[in-house]
Amino acid sequence: MPRLPSVPTSQTDATGSSGARLVQGLLQGLRQGVNLATDNDVGTDFHMELRIPSTGEGIGLTVGGQIKSGLSFFEWSGSTDEDGSGWWFYEKEGDAHFGLWSLSSIPYILVLYNPQTTDAHWVHVSETRIVNTNSVQGKKIFVPGKNLLNADAIDQIIEIAKASYLRNPYQGTIWRTSDLTVQESIRYRVALIAPRLIAPHPNQGRLKPQDPCAAIGIVLTGFSHYLQGEQPDDDLPHGTGWGWMFYDAFAAWMAGEGVRGIKAALFASEMPSQRAAAAVLLVAALVDDDRPNDALDALRSVDLLGMTETDICWLRAHETQLLYDLGCERDAKDLAVVWLNRARRIAGDITLEPIIASLTSTVFRLSDWEGQDVKTLIQSRDNLSAWWRAFSMESVPSREVDFSFSRTGVNLSKVADADVESHNRLTAAAVTCLMSANYESWRAYSNQLAKLDYARLRGNRSDGAGILNVINTLRMCNSPKEVGAIAYQIWMTGPVDDLSKATIAAGSARVTRHSLDSCARLFQHAGDLLPTDMRSRLVSQ
């Protein structure tokens, strides 16, 4: 049996330094950022800033490493069932490097460099791979021969770093939101997708946001009533510049004033991140207005120059949802697969999780369960962002919108009045899901809101516009049962003019995958209210 490597310190330093420089050059050739340690024998030879190999773009993650260079480190050959042939590396007596590496806040890799073959082999030092020999030899770890340090290895190390990344650094921030620092380049995306991380919380007192992103965040966490001051004339602080222009456009759209302000903000955007946020807001507004074709055209006309991979991925997630709704299934799936694979290589951005979830849902809906697409994407989950949505928004009691629909109409006796805060939270949940390209959840929340609004409107039959909006929303949200029940009740009790307008609007609109059944149910109950020419056209279709 060969003895454990034991060489004078000076020789170790010389061999190690030479090997470290060679491994550094190898990694730099793979477009990674490598910083060598300046001190000897501290357990860390280098830190590597991980970058996408094809572009060299940093992803915000780091790994540490130890390099062992020399033929003596290849004397302890062996094999395992899992990894095949390779070499055992023993931790010298008195060292605690394995513990340091496996328990570090960043992942560590061990690299064995062979100066004869110039090959470098690596292994992730984790608790599950460390073996205690229960002898004077101490602990050991197996370095597989197949683990060559090359471009494929970088992909694997990136995945290891993602899995090791502290994914919830925001616990407790419900009390200390002001402690968070959100980079300027992603503030607008955070405001629209993960608003809880940027908005002041009522637990801190009755606060006013000092910037437009925080103001948007307050609306999208369901606390818009906190935007008002204690006195009627105590207005929201308002500055100048593009950010407040964007907030005004957002607020106007939320108030039902259309998309003119959003288009102006998109045209006036000064930075790529602003352009991406304004484009998403415009697309979402057009989708909410039952204009999917216009939304797709607007999306495809956006200038992507200078945008980050995450921003482009955000836009592409919306595009896949629109393509799916408009019946372009193959295009939707192909686009989702491409961008989901690209998104999984980006790390350190909480807003990416709901985007990945949107892309994943498209692939799941359009893939064979035995297909490779589903097998390789099964790990894509909407983890942390879903938790924030559940915590901040979905606490609205379901009984508030627990309606009983039947052929005899809507049983309003089961509807409990919801307060303003509950309604705001439902609205916030719907809009946040829409911004995240989670159209399925947006439809579910919009369905609840529409039914809640209808219950209120039945006491005010003069509000024809409100009833028209309810029917249109339910029609968009793939709610044929509810549309049929409301249409039947209005047909029996009036006012029929409102039902006529809703039916004509449905006959004029572009039918999508999610409105087809609702339109059919509406025409079943109120088709006689359609103009003759429109009725003939729909029958021929």
Side-chain angles (χ1 to χ4, degrees):
M1 178 181 294
R3 61 184 178 85
L4 290 171
S6 178
V7 294
T9 303
S10 59
Q11 182 181 345
T12 302
D13 292 345
T15 306
S17 297
S18 174
R21 287 193 296 271
L22 291 168
V23 171
Q24 179 188 33
L26 171 63
L27 291 171
Q28 288 176 338
L30 296 171
R31 310 186 78 169
Q32 304 304 298
V34 181
N35 292 316
L36 296 180
T38 55
D39 296 326
N40 294 320
D41 299 324
V42 295
T44 301
D45 285 335
F46 68 92
H47 286 100
M48 177 166 63
E49 176 199 2
L50 292 172
R51 301 172 180 173
I52 298 174
S54 59
T55 64
E57 180 183 357
I59 60 174
L61 292 178
T62 301
V63 298
Q66 179 82 351
I67 300 167
K68 298 297 182 181
S69 176
L71 297 178
S72 59
F73 294 104
F74 293 87
E75 294 179 354
W76 289 78
S77 60
S79 64
T80 67
D81 293 338
E82 180 181 358
D83 297 315
S85 61
W87 305 271
W88 287 103
F89 174 79
Y90 288 83
E91 184 174 66
K92 291 190 295 186
E93 186 178 358
D95 283 350
H97 293 162
F98 280 172
L100 169 68
W101 299 334
S102 63
L103 298 177
S104 173
S105 59
I106 62 172
Y108 266 73
I109 62 173
L110 171 67
V111 179
L112 301 186
Y113 180 77
N114 189 325
Q116 226 174 42
T117 64
T118 69
D119 288 332
H121 304 265
W122 69 281
V123 67
H124 173 217
V125 182
S126 63
E127 290 183 288
T128 58
R129 297 194 71 98
I130 298 170
V131 178
N132 194 335
T133 66
N134 295 316
S135 69
V136 294
Q137 292 177 321
K139 297 178 180 179
K140 64 180 180 178
I141 192 168
F142 189 72
V143 182
K146 64 182 181 181
N147 279 16
L148 286 170
L149 200 56
N150 53 25
D152 290 337
I154 297 302
D155 290 338
Q156 296 175 49
I157 294 170
I158 287 174
E159 291 303 315
I160 290 169
K162 287 182 182 180
S164 303
Y165 178 63
L166 183 60
R167 301 197 63 83
N168 193 355
Y170 303 105
Q171 284 190 337
T173 56
I174 193 167
W175 293 100
R176 54 179 181 82
T177 307
S178 59
D179 293 346
L180 294 177
T181 300
V182 179
Q183 293 177 337
E184 187 66 30
S185 61
I186 66 170
R187 285 182 67 82
Y188 295 101
R189 189 168 69 243
V190 169
L192 294 175
I193 292 183
R196 179 61 199 84
L197 304 181
I198 206 168
H201 193 276
N203 284 355
Q204 298 174 302
R206 195 175 180 86
L207 298 179
K208 292 182 180 179
Q210 297 301 314
D211 70 88
C213 291
I216 292 173
I218 285 181
V219 174
L220 293 184
T221 48
F223 295 112
S224 55
H225 48 292
Y226 280 88
L227 287 175
Q228 303 301 320
E230 297 291 349
Q231 303 299 326
D233 59 348
D234 194 7
D235 296 328
L236 172 72
H238 200 295
T240 59
W242 188 89
W244 285 109
M245 179 184 186
F246 183 64
Y247 170 78
D248 288 341
F250 169 80
W253 169 64
M254 291 287 289
E257 297 177 14
V259 301
R260 178 175 297 183
I262 303 175
K263 290 181 177 179
L266 177 59
F267 180 78
S269 57
E270 301 166 350
M271 298 186 298
S273 60
Q274 296 173 349
R275 189 164 66 250
V280 166
L281 181 57
L282 176 59
V283 168
L286 293 171
V287 169
D288 188 62
D289 196 33
D290 195 20
R291 296 163 60 185
N293 287 94
D294 292 342
L296 187 59
D297 290 341
L299 186 61
R300 289 177 166 173
S301 67
V302 174
D303 181 8
L304 305 180
L305 183 64
M307 288 189 188
T308 64
E309 283 272 290
T310 304
D311 278 334
I312 298 175
C313 189
W314 190 18
L315 296 171
R316 292 295 174 248
H318 280 276
E319 186 173 354
T320 63
Q321 294 285 338
L322 290 168
L323 289 170
Y324 176 72
D325 285 355
L326 294 172
C328 304
E329 295 185 358
R330 170 52 60 183
D331 291 341
K333 177 185 173 183
D334 290 346
L335 189 64
V337 169
V338 168
W339 279 94
L340 188 47
N341 283 326
R342 292 179 69 168
R344 294 178 67 197
R345 299 170 69 105
I346 307 170
D349 188 340
I350 188 176
T351 62
L352 195 62
E353 295 191 6
I355 298 171
I356 288 177
S358 171
L359 294 167
T360 303
S361 68
T362 300
V363 175
F364 269 45
R365 284 196 299 261
L366 297 177
S367 294
D368 183 345
W369 278 97
E370 297 300 319
Q372 187 64 27
D373 293 333
V374 171
K375 292 179 181 178
T376 57
L377 304 178
I378 201 78
Q379 294 182 0
S380 299
R381 303 289 297 174
D382 180 11
N383 304 331
L384 190 53
S385 296
W387 184 87
W388 282 117
R389 284 204 298 275
F391 183 86
S392 299
M393 303 166 190
E394 295 176 19
S395 57
V396 182
S398 60
R399 64 178 178 273
E400 293 173 358
V401 285
D402 182 18
F403 289 7
S404 174
F405 284 87
S406 67
R407 176 129 166 70
T408 57
V410 184
N411 184 357
L412 300 180
S413 64
K414 293 189 177 182
V415 179
D417 288 334
D419 58 23
V420 172
E421 183 175 345
S422 296
H423 193 278
N424 286 347
R425 287 193 175 199
L426 276 173
T427 302
V431 175
T432 304
C433 290
L434 180 57
M435 297 300 167
S436 305
N438 185 350
Y439 288 14
E440 187 174 357
S441 296
W442 161 69
R443 292 187 186 93
Y445 282 118
S446 296
N447 173 287
Q448 291 181 315
L449 279 166
K451 291 186 292 187
L452 188 61
D453 287 341
Y454 182 70
R456 293 171 170 172
L457 289 170
R458 290 303 291 166
N460 180 17
R461 298 195 179 194
S462 62
D463 190 356
I467 291 177
L468 174 63
N469 183 64
V470 165
I471 297 176
N472 286 341
T473 298
L474 290 171
R475 174 174 55 80
M476 276 193 307
C477 293
N478 194 26
S479 307
K481 180 180 71 174
E482 291 88 339
V483 168
I486 292 175
Y488 180 81
Q489 187 177 64
I490 295 178
W491 180 268
M492 298 299 294
T493 63
V496 177
D497 286 348
D498 299 336
L499 183 59
S500 176
K501 292 176 183 178
T503 308
I504 292 173
S508 304
R510 167 70 185 266
V511 177
T512 69
R513 175 186 302 278
H514 291 97
S515 65
L516 179 60
D517 291 344
S518 297
C519 286
R521 188 67 63 89
L522 184 60
F523 297 150
Q524 175 186 350
H525 287 282
D528 290 342
L529 300 176
L530 291 170
T532 303
D533 58 338
M534 181 177 290
R535 188 163 60 244
S536 300
R537 176 175 59 80
L538 292 172
V539 169
S540 65
Q541 291 178 347

